[in-house]
């Protein structure tokens, strides 16, 4: 109200109910509106906002609340490099098809290269009022080169543009994850080679079961990681099809060449159905599913190592460089990295569930809900790579306490199954041998001894089939030597497995013995 009550040298403003004098007509101030419609007031309040590139039919700007709620630039700027890649390919195709001049194409390409340089040097200003990475780059290009930039969006929608960017980003992300998978595999194989002859208890139901070579156990995780890598490879193959040119959902009547842009971006081919191209996110669901399975495998590895680092097991000692302490208990040394690997698997699984829930009720084709697909993917990739890298770091910094493990081996009658196999070799049916060895174990429990401590007379009191060669099967060392089936924990078989993985991962086997 201050402007209404102020005076000037020419006119004093008065209100009719304050005076009976006629109210003079005020001099018009072009920056002030006495009576305005709601539309005019809203326009005044948003004068500083840039007109949207899609705003031709709109008379009002969106409110600040709506703008803040709907923007995605805060997270999808991660796609800038792939957005520029796609735009370069699209501009080159438009020029070849006669939809823009070669001069305009060259201006666009130079402008995009300069924008990429500014982004990577930190000079580029990301604007929320430009909504997303695509509009930020296109608007900045228009500011830079003018009219030619307005031709870039010919025969293209943000729908197919974002899917092209996202497929390119996910493709690169898979390659990064595969590199991390290989590094963890190499760390586990190296650890196995350093402990090639070490026997450890194998568990089922977290109860002592049979003796196994430590390398055999470690290679189990290597095999799981190999299948994880296979799933990612398969996912990459299925996602490597190009949506660009599908436009909003129906394609275009302009003479574009989708095969040219697909080839330029390294895709296998364009997607066959334009509606499918912009509406489905199964490639992301498959990607996050593969990440979730990897995360579960890593969580199991983390759980095992956390258990083995405990005083109750004492099988491994992590170095100080991969351990943390307690703020109150000065004696504590915790394997925190692997606890967090176990914990962060929940995030990766949650990212998958988020996307499944997001997609489950959407009609064809594009819906704005799908803007929410990116943050879970970014989080999943970042988390899985972190889990893989810290697991490899942990593997490089643990020591197996061989003496502690050796002392722990006798407990649990781990050679019982091998003893049953001995009786099978003698012609006894396995179900009968199972019963005989069970009675032998019961005798050991009553005498508080191991199977190999029973004398031959005691064993023959259970079954006359036992002979003096039985002692070649008893004890964990003998038991491990008796395994011979393909894929078993037998020394020769594990040595072959180590040879295979050392060659595949290009590890110097002799240098790690």
């Amino acid at each position: 109200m201050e402007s209404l009550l102020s005076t000037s040298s020419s006119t004093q403003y008065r209100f009719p109910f304050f005076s009976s004098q006629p109210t003079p007509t005020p001099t018009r101030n072009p920056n002030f509106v006495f009576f305005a419609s709601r539309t005019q007031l809203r326009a005044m309040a948003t004068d500083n906002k840039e007109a949207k590139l899609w705003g031709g039919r709109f008379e009002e700007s969106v409110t600040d609340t709506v703008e803040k709620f709907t923007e995605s630039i805060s997270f999808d700027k991660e796609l800038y490099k792939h957005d520029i890649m796609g735009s370069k390919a699209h501009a080159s195709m438009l020029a070849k098809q006669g939809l823009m001049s070669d001069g305009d194409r060259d201006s666009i390409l130079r402008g995009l290269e300069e924008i990429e340089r500014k982004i990577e040097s930190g000079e580029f200003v990301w604007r929320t009022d430009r909504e997303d990475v695509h509009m930020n780059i296109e608007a900045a290009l228009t500011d830079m080169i003018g009219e030619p930039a307005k031709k870039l969006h010919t025969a293209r929608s943000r729908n197919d543009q974002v899917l092209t960017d996202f497929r390119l980003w996910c493709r690169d992300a898979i390659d990064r994850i595969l590199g991390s998978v290989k590094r963890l595999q190499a760390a586990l194989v190296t650890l196995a080679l350093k402990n090639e002859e070490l026997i450890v208890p194998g568990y089922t139901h977290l109860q002592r079961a049979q003796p196994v070579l430590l390398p055999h156990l470690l290679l189990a995780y290597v095999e799981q990681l190999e299948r994880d890598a296979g799933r990612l490879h398969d996912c990459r193959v299925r996602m490597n099809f190009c949506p660009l040119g599908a436009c909003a959902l129906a394609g275009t009547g302009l003479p574009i060449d989708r095969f040219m842009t697909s080839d330029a971006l390294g895709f296998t081919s364009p997607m066959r159905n334009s509606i499918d191209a912009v509406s489905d996110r199964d490639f992301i669901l498959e990607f996050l599913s593969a990440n979730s399975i990897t995360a579960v495998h890593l969580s199991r590895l983390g759980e095992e190592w956390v258990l083995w680092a405990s005083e109750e097991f004492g099988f491994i000692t992590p170095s100080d460089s991969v351990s943390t302490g307690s703020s109150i208990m000065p004696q504590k040394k915790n394997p925190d990295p692997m606890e967090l690997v176990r914990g962060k698997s929940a995030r990766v699984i949650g990212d998958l569930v988020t996307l499944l829930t997001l997609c489950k009720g959407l009609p064809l084709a594009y819906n704005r809900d799908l803007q929410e697909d990116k943050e879970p993917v970014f989080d999943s990739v970042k988390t899985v790579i972190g889990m893989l890298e810290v697991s490899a770091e942990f593997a490089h910094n643990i020591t197996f306490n061989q003496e502690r493990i050796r002392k722990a081996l006798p407990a649990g009658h781990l050679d019982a199954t091998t003893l049953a196999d001995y009786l099978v070799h003698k012609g006894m049916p396995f179900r009968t041998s199972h019963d005989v060895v069970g009675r032998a174990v019961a005798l050991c429990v009553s005498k508080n001894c191991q199977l190999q401590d029973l004398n031959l007379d005691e064993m023959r009191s259970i079954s006359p089939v036992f002979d003096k060669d039985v002692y070649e099967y008893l004890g964990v060392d003998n038991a491990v030597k008796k395994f011979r089936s393909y894929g078993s924990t037998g020394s020769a078989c594990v040595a072959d497995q180590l040879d295979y993985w050392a060659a595949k991962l290009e590890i110097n086997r002799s240098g790690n013995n």
Side-chain angles (χ1 to χ4, degrees):
M1 294 298 292
E2 182 180 344
S3 60
L4 290 172
L5 299 174
S6 62
T7 59
S8 69
S9 57
S10 59
T11 307
Q12 182 174 0
Y13 296 97
R14 298 180 185 275
F15 292 96
F17 47 82
F18 287 158
S19 170
S20 59
Q21 299 295 322
T23 303
T25 303
T27 304
R28 173 175 288 276
N29 181 345
N31 295 319
F32 190 84
V33 178
F34 279 88
F35 302 101
S37 69
R38 181 176 298 178
T39 300
Q40 289 173 311
L41 288 171
R42 189 181 293 271
M44 289 165 56
T46 57
D47 275 346
N48 62 334
K49 291 185 179 180
E50 181 177 74
K52 306 293 185 185
L53 296 181
W54 45 258
R57 69 156 327 264
F58 290 82
E59 296 180 2
E60 302 178 47
S61 297
V62 298
T63 67
D64 289 342
T65 300
V66 170
E67 187 154 85
K68 289 176 183 177
F69 187 70
T70 58
E71 66 83 20
S72 60
I73 189 58
S74 57
F75 54 86
D76 69 12
K77 59 187 176 185
E78 172 84 12
L79 302 174
Y80 79 88
K81 187 180 291 291
H82 304 91
D83 191 72
I84 290 171
M85 285 172 57
S87 290
K88 285 180 176 180
H90 190 65
S92 297
M93 181 275 295
L94 291 176
K96 178 178 177 294
Q97 297 300 107
L99 294 170
M100 71 167 60
S101 68
D102 289 349
D104 286 346
R105 174 202 61 202
D106 293 342
S107 294
I108 288 170
L109 295 181
R110 285 194 298 270
L112 289 171
E113 288 171 2
E114 176 62 12
I115 288 171
E116 185 171 9
R117 184 198 67 78
K118 286 186 174 182
I119 293 172
E120 293 181 346
S121 67
E123 301 173 47
F124 192 85
V125 178
W126 297 103
R127 291 179 49 168
T128 303
D129 61 338
R130 288 177 173 175
E131 298 182 24
D132 57 29
V133 62
H134 326 293
M135 302 298 259
N136 264 265
I137 290 174
E138 185 179 339
L141 184 66
T142 303
D143 293 343
M144 184 181 297
I145 69 172
E147 198 68 18
K150 297 180 181 180
K151 300 179 181 180
L152 179 58
H153 210 54
T154 303
R156 181 174 79 171
S157 163
R158 274 192 293 181
N159 293 357
D160 61 331
Q161 185 180 0
V162 67
L163 263 298
T164 302
D165 298 355
F166 208 12
R167 284 175 183 261
L168 290 170
W169 188 93
C170 289
R171 197 173 69 183
D172 287 351
I174 287 175
D175 292 342
R176 286 187 285 134
I177 295 171
L178 289 172
S180 295
V181 168
K182 186 175 181 179
R183 282 188 287 277
L184 177 54
Q185 287 179 305
L188 292 171
V189 172
T190 300
L191 190 60
L193 289 169
K194 289 178 178 177
N195 298 274
E196 192 165 353
E197 303 299 327
L198 181 58
I199 299 173
V200 298
Y203 293 84
T204 63
H205 309 278
L206 207 55
Q207 303 293 318
R208 296 286 183 96
Q210 290 179 276
V212 296
L213 285 168
L214 174 65
H216 190 56
L217 186 145
L218 294 174
L219 290 178
Y221 288 109
V222 175
E223 294 284 353
Q224 291 167 16
L225 288 165
E226 187 69 6
R227 291 193 296 277
D228 293 334
R231 274 182 284 272
L232 288 167
H233 277 296
D234 292 347
C235 175
R236 193 186 191 283
V237 169
R238 272 185 288 276
M239 76 167 51
N240 198 39
F241 291 84
C242 187
L244 196 57
C247 300
L249 79 162
T252 179
L254 295 170
I256 63 173
D257 184 349
R258 293 188 62 208
F259 287 89
M260 177 181 174
T261 48
S262 174
D263 290 344
L265 294 169
F267 287 109
T268 302
S269 68
M271 296 186 72
R272 284 191 296 266
N273 185 292
S274 62
I275 296 176
D276 176 52
V278 299
S279 63
D280 203 11
R281 296 298 189 273
D282 58 354
F283 72 98
I284 301 173
L285 295 174
E286 184 176 7
F287 185 17
L288 296 192
S289 177
N291 282 353
S292 297
I293 296 171
T294 301
V296 169
H297 284 152
L298 296 175
S299 181
R300 296 185 70 186
L301 174 64
E303 169 69 4
E304 190 141 66
W305 282 355
V306 167
L307 285 174
W308 283 18
S310 67
E311 289 292 339
E312 284 70 20
F313 279 80
F315 288 179
I316 64 172
T317 300
S319 73
D320 290 353
S321 62
V322 292
S323 304
T324 64
S326 165
S327 63
I328 188 173
M329 296 170 285
Q331 85 281 9
K332 291 297 294 298
K333 182 178 177 180
N334 302 321
D336 276 10
M338 299 313 293
E339 292 179 54
L340 281 171
V341 164
R342 190 177 59 194
K344 285 181 181 290
S345 64
R347 290 180 59 139
V348 181
I349 295 166
D351 291 329
L352 170 61
V353 173
T354 296
L355 259 294
L356 287 167
T357 307
L358 176 70
C359 295
K360 74 175 184 63
L362 296 182
L364 295 177
Y366 179 78
N367 299 273
R368 189 64 180 268
D369 313 51
L370 293 171
Q371 177 177 295
E372 294 299 303
D373 62 356
K374 293 166 197 65
E375 287 182 288
V377 176
F378 296 157
D379 180 69
S380 176
V381 170
K382 178 182 176 182
T383 305
V384 163
I385 289 176
M387 292 169 70
L388 288 163
E389 294 294 335
V390 82
S391 296
E393 188 80 4
F394 200 84
H396 285 304
N397 288 278
I398 59 174
T399 303
F400 282 87
N401 303 322
Q402 298 198 20
E403 187 60 29
R404 175 76 175 263
I405 293 170
R406 171 61 65 177
K407 289 180 178 178
L409 280 172
H413 308 289
L414 301 179
D415 48 358
T417 306
T418 308
L419 182 58
D421 289 343
Y422 164 83
L423 293 172
V424 170
H425 279 297
K426 296 290 187 177
M428 184 180 291
F430 178 77
R431 283 300 174 197
T432 305
S433 73
H434 186 286
D435 180 69
V436 168
V437 174
R439 286 186 278 130
V441 169
L443 178 59
C444 288
V445 171
S446 69
K447 292 171 59 67
N448 191 26
C449 69
Q450 301 301 310
L451 286 167
Q452 62 187 345
D453 298 329
L454 295 176
N455 62 47
L456 190 56
D457 289 338
E458 288 174 317
M459 300 191 78
R460 283 177 169 170
S461 69
I462 299 171
S463 172
V465 176
F466 286 118
D467 205 345
K468 59 184 178 180
D469 60 346
V470 69
Y471 295 101
E472 297 174 12
Y473 287 77
L474 295 177
V476 294
D477 294 288
N478 285 331
V480 165
K481 290 176 184 176
K482 295 301 180 183
F483 289 102
R484 63 182 66 185
S485 61
Y486 178 80
S488 72
T489 196
S491 300
C493 187
V494 172
D496 288 342
Q497 293 176 39
L498 284 170
D499 286 341
Y500 170 83
W501 283 109
K504 184 177 178 67
L505 298 170
E506 300 177 331
I507 297 170
N508 182 358
R509 196 189 193 301
S510 60
N512 288 281
N513 289 333

